[in-house]
Amino acid sequence: MRKKIIAGNWKMNKTLEEGMGLVSEVSNMLKDEYTGSAEVVIIPPFTHINSISKLIAENPRLKSGAQNCSNHKSGAYTGEVSADMLKSCGATYVIIGHSERRQYFNEHNDWLAKKVDAVLLAGLNPIYCCGETLEEREINTHFNVLHTQIREGLFHLSASDMKKVVIAYEPVWAIGTGKTASTEQAQEIHAFIRSLIAEKYDADIAQSITIQYGGSVKADNAAELFRSPDIDGALVGGAALQSRSFVDIVKAMA
Ligand code: PGA
């Protein structure tokens, strides 16, 4: 059975105090209200990871992660944070290639491939994001765009490393816009991504990889998305900033 993962990407939101309060609420609500199988990942800004990891250490369902990391192991790279540092703060996952990093920080696939390597080298799990823009979908190039993102970012990996990767399909036009891909649109892409992995590696690896959907996931659309056979969880932005809306999304996963 594939692992189901609901991750909350806080982006650049919440002070440390606000973040600690939110995580305590989420942790307590999950203990009281959720008996399902999903792993829940809190992805705060770098500055909060250490404190939050300690806070959730008692709750085995909860893990923490980072929103980015350096492609270098260490050295003179002012302002950067390495995967080893994230590991030492308790992180388990690192988001690589979020569309905001691709768009605002010019992160391209070849660069992201190196970040994926750095995350794996530290013994952490990348959450590799891919997704097309509205324009790319409208001119019907989305399958090609996704294929290129997956091939250039991930397909240099050995089979054993590939098994450690989580993929998040996040259509750029659905992020923070209130527009969600329809369940059919999302399922179609998730099945396509899985077929690419089967072709490059094998069917067992393709079947074992968690593929999350992201883009305006809310409590009222999560259950339908999660019923699709190839959607194994969600990468949640806005709705992860409040305990009630985030926990309700988790509860939509059986
Ligand atoms: P959103 O963000 O849920 O606010 O659309 C998702 C994401 O960017 O990961």
Side-chain angles (χ1 to χ4, degrees):
M1 253 262 288
R2 281 196 291 275
K3 198 184 223 183
K4 312 286 185 198
I5 305 173
I6 315 290
N9 170 16
W10 294 1
K11 309 192 179 183
M12 198 174 74
N13 291 293
K14 304 283 178 195
T15 62
L16 179 58
E17 198 185 353
E18 290 165 349
M20 294 292 274
L22 172 58
V23 174
S24 302
E25 281 172 25
V26 167
S27 179
N28 289 335
M29 286 162 95
L30 288 173
K31 274 187 201 143
D32 291 347
E33 301 175 28
Y34 185 60
T35 53
S37 60
E39 182 172 275
V40 179
V41 186
I42 307 287
I43 310 186
F46 288 138
T47 45
H48 308 3
I49 294 172
N50 194 37
S51 307
I52 286 177
S53 299
K54 285 184 183 139
L55 187 64
I56 62 178
E58 309 280 276
N59 187 340
R61 181 189 296 290
L62 281 166
K63 299 277 184 280
S64 69
Q67 300 170 18
N68 181 31
C69 78
S70 172
N71 54 322
H72 297 287
K73 201 166 164 54
S74 64
Y77 302 101
T78 301
E80 290 285 270
V81 173
S82 75
D84 285 335
M85 294 170 190
L86 296 172
K87 188 175 188 189
S88 73
C89 289
T92 304
Y93 292 93
V94 185
I95 297 177
I96 297 293
H98 189 280
S99 65
E100 287 150 18
R101 301 293 316 172
R102 292 175 183 268
Q103 206 180 331
Y104 308 139
F105 301 93
N106 270 323
E107 295 193 359
H108 297 300
N109 296 329
D110 51 345
W111 191 245
L112 298 171
K114 296 193 179 104
K115 293 195 175 203
V116 168
D117 290 343
V119 172
L120 288 165
L121 192 65
L124 303 179
N125 300 95
I127 299 179
Y128 181 76
C129 297
C130 56
E132 80 285 1
T133 62
L134 184 58
E135 191 189 7
E136 288 161 347
R137 181 168 275 268
E138 279 173 354
I139 58 171
N140 213 23
T141 55
H142 48 299
F143 289 105
N144 283 339
V145 167
L146 285 157
H147 192 172
T148 305
Q149 289 173 340
I150 299 276
R151 188 181 61 237
E152 294 183 355
L154 296 177
F155 281 178
H156 62 289
L157 296 177
S158 67
S160 66
D161 274 345
M162 188 65 193
K163 287 186 201 160
K164 299 171 192 156
V165 174
V166 173
I167 295 175
Y169 168 56
E170 298 204 302
V172 178
W173 48 272
I175 296 177
T177 57
K179 263 193 216 169
T180 323
S182 69
T183 306
E184 293 71 31
Q185 284 170 324
Q187 166 57 30
E188 181 185 37
I189 300 294
H190 284 228
F192 172 67
I193 293 170
R194 224 179 278 291
S195 75
L196 295 175
I197 300 166
E199 214 174 279
K200 168 73 186 171
Y201 297 91
D202 63 42
D204 286 350
I205 294 180
Q207 282 309 317
S208 73
I209 288 183
T210 299
I211 307 180
Q212 301 176 304
Y213 170 78
S216 298
V217 176
K218 304 274 181 290
D220 56 10
N221 58 27
E224 202 196 321
L225 285 162
F226 296 163
R227 270 196 291 275
S228 298
D230 287 297
I231 300 180
D232 309 313
L235 184 54
V236 183
L241 296 175
Q242 279 192 338
S243 53
R244 183 73 273 159
S245 52
F246 186 55
V247 168
D248 282 349
I249 291 171
V250 176
K251 286 166 72 180
M253 178 62 83

